[in-house]
Amino acid sequence: MSDRILKVNAYTTLDLLDGRAEGHGFEEDALAVLNVTADRKNPDAVKLQLELDNTDLDAVPAHADEIELTPEQARTVAAALEERAETVEDANDD
């Protein structure tokens, strides 16, 4: 991804994912980066960051989205991801 907003390096959680931007009147697929991080000094939130490769998008300008989660919210998201991962794995085992 050129012209990245998020720093992508060996510590990035996941890079080169299949992503999709969807809105009123458009839907575009692009490579994506997903990162989970927290400030190194005195962290007060878990940050979940997502960026789609803007070179693959026509309807959306270059940007990165970020949400801040409390530790409890981060654990809720982690538990939901685990549950959905099990659901998908179970469906693929059949």
Side-chain angles (χ1 to χ4, degrees), residues 16-70:
L16 297 179
L17 300 170
D18 293 327
R20 177 177 299 124
E22 192 174 323
H24 297 292
F26 73 90
E27 183 175 315
E28 296 183 293
D29 294 323
L31 293 176
V33 171
L34 179 69
N35 195 40
V36 179
T37 190
D39 292 338
R40 287 183 184 194
K41 295 182 180 180
N42 302 318
D44 62 351
V46 175
K47 296 177 184 178
L48 181 62
Q49 303 167 319
L50 175 68
E51 181 178 3
L52 299 180
D53 184 352
N54 67 309
T55 62
D56 291 339
L57 301 174
D58 295 321
V60 182
H63 75 287
D65 294 307
E66 178 179 293
I67 59 171
E68 290 189 358
L69 303 168
T70 65

Side-chain angles (χ1 to χ4, degrees), residues 61-90:
H63 75 287
D65 294 307
E66 178 179 293
I67 59 171
E68 290 189 358
L69 303 168
T70 65
E72 181 180 349
Q73 291 168 327
R75 289 186 183 95
T76 298
V77 170
L81 287 169
E82 285 287 341
E83 288 176 18
R84 298 309 168 266
E86 288 181 24
T87 299
V88 172
E89 286 176 337
D90 292 346

